[in-house]
Amino acid sequence: MSTVYFNGEFMPLESARVSVLDRGFVFGDGVYEVIPVYAGCLFHAQEHLQRLANSLALIRLPNPMTLEEWEALCKDLVVRHSKGNQIIYIQVTRGAPEKREHVFPKDTAPTVFVMTSPLTPPTSYTGETAITHPDIRWQHCDIKSINLLANVLARQAAAEAGAAEALLIREGHLMEGSSSNVFIVENDMIKTPPKSNLILPGITRDVLLGVLAAANIPFQETELTEAQLRTAQEVWIASSTRELMPITKIDGIEVGDGRVGKHWQGAWELYQAHKQAVCQA
Ligand code: PDD
């Protein structure tokens, strides 16, 4: 039985219960975070917890813990589970007031929930397929909001097309995946959309860019069009749960020569070496 943290206590997952008046339930009024754990080691926890702090600040919800307290809590939860790879999920909502009212409640404690589940990053990569999908999300995709309906609908469309991800297009521009950031290779140059309010500032993305920079591999953070996606040599997606994944078919059409590309291979090897260095994983 999995142990979770819920509002100040560790308990079995089955015992954690949230009120139907919780603002996460009635308004989607909350944020979340996802942190990978390799062999018991939290991978870039500070960056994830800082992003959580940023998301909370953007929705004007006071952070219930310091970064140090969050990290200690996550480590405590991790050691209560297997030593294998895990994925930590944190959710904070504006709590459960006595009545449903749009305006922020006064004197209501936030709801804080943390769980961990097994993480199995892929070990072999033969190339995944993706679809394109209109980006119908709001103007604050930089907040890791629990309002994921547009992402869920896009990802479901991908699943129904037998694809691993939906790549979101807003006004002719490639933004990101439904739950990942996106990279393309064009004329042997690695390119990814710049951070803005219209994409999530992915930690995997940032870690990868840091690793590329340290290896003197050039890249560009630049706006990308749908046309560039369709003529790219290589396309990759990046996230905490899927690491760096090559996409070899989009909307049924092969990317480049349809095979996993050499730039992806090089970037993936650097990323794995970085994981080893940080986590001995
Ligand atoms: N999603 N963009 C979106 C919309 C995401 O939901 C995610 C991650 C990313 C990648 O961020 P990171 O590298 O920090 O994981 C980009 C997580 C994994 C999720 O929703 O489960």
Side-chain angles (χ1 to χ4, degrees):
M1 196 183 296
S2 181
T3 301
V4 302
Y5 173 91
F6 182 64
N7 288 346
E9 284 174 58
F10 290 99
M11 60 181 73
L13 174 64
E14 289 73 9
S15 306
R17 290 276 178 276
V18 71
S19 160
V20 289
L21 284 179
D22 192 280
R23 292 177 63 95
F25 184 62
V26 290
F27 293 123
D29 186 357
V31 297
Y32 76 108
E33 192 50 58
V34 175
I35 310 176
V37 178
Y38 298 112
C41 153
L42 276 70
F43 188 63
H44 289 276
Q46 286 294 314
E47 290 89 332
H48 281 278
L49 295 172
Q50 184 56 55
R51 182 174 65 187
L52 175 64
N54 296 347
S55 292
L56 287 166
L58 284 164
I59 70 161
R60 299 169 53 198
L61 179 53
N63 197 335
M65 282 180 244
T66 64
L67 296 198
E68 292 68 33
E69 286 166 344
W70 277 117
E71 190 165 354
L73 166 57
C74 291
K75 284 183 175 160
D76 194 343
L77 191 64
V78 161
V79 296
R80 291 165 191 259
H81 293 79
S82 80
K83 280 224 173 308
N85 297 339
Q86 301 176 33
I87 195 90
I88 296 174
Y89 176 85
I90 301 175
Q91 179 168 323
V92 184
T93 79
R94 211 179 305 273
E98 277 171 16
K99 60 180 174 114
R100 179 181 176 275
E101 155 74 77
H102 286 66
V103 174
F104 295 173
K106 286 198 179 75
D107 309 320
T108 298
T111 300
V112 179
F113 173 57
V114 189
M115 67 176 173
T116 178
S117 1
L119 168 68
T120 24
T123 45
S124 83
Y125 294 86
T126 48
E128 297 285 343
T129 62
I131 60 164
T132 54
H133 196 273
D135 191 350
I136 58 164
R137 298 175 302 165
W138 66 332
Q139 297 291 321
H140 250 309
C141 303
D142 50 338
I143 300 175
K144 206 161 168 58
S145 158
I146 59 171
N147 286 271
L148 289 173
L149 192 50
N151 307 59
V152 164
L153 291 174
R155 184 63 183 278
Q156 182 62 22
E160 286 171 10
E165 182 58 297
L167 300 174
L168 303 177
I169 308 291
R170 194 190 283 250
E171 292 172 1
H173 283 87
L174 172 63
M175 308 310 298
E176 61 180 335
S178 71
S179 62
S180 58
N181 290 111
V182 66
F183 289 76
I184 72 164
V185 179
E186 184 178 58
N187 301 323
D188 289 318
M189 174 63 75
I190 298 167
K191 299 183 182 182
T192 194
K195 285 187 199 171
S196 74
N197 59 313
L198 297 180
I199 68 167
L200 186 80
I203 307 301
T204 315
R205 169 196 185 278
D206 280 0
V207 169
L208 180 66
L209 293 183
V211 160
L212 294 174
N216 289 318
I217 296 176
F219 60 82
Q220 289 173 2
E221 294 176 86
T222 178
E223 289 195 2
L224 298 172
T225 63
E226 180 177 353
Q228 284 175 287
L229 171 71
R230 297 203 188 278
T231 54
Q233 275 167 269
E234 296 184 24
V235 175
W236 322 330
I237 56 169
S239 82
S240 294
T241 42
R242 299 202 269 186
E243 296 189 343
L244 193 57
M245 193 174 260
I247 300 294
T248 49
K249 212 178 239 187
I250 297 175
D251 295 335
I253 296 167
E254 286 186 344
V255 175
D257 63 8
R259 288 190 303 213
V260 172
K262 63 175 191 223
H263 297 280
W264 172 82
Q265 184 71 39
W268 183 81
E269 282 166 15
L270 287 170
Y271 193 81
Q272 297 306 318
H274 177 72
K275 259 172 65 183
Q276 269 281 341
V278 173
C279 277
Q280 284 88 47

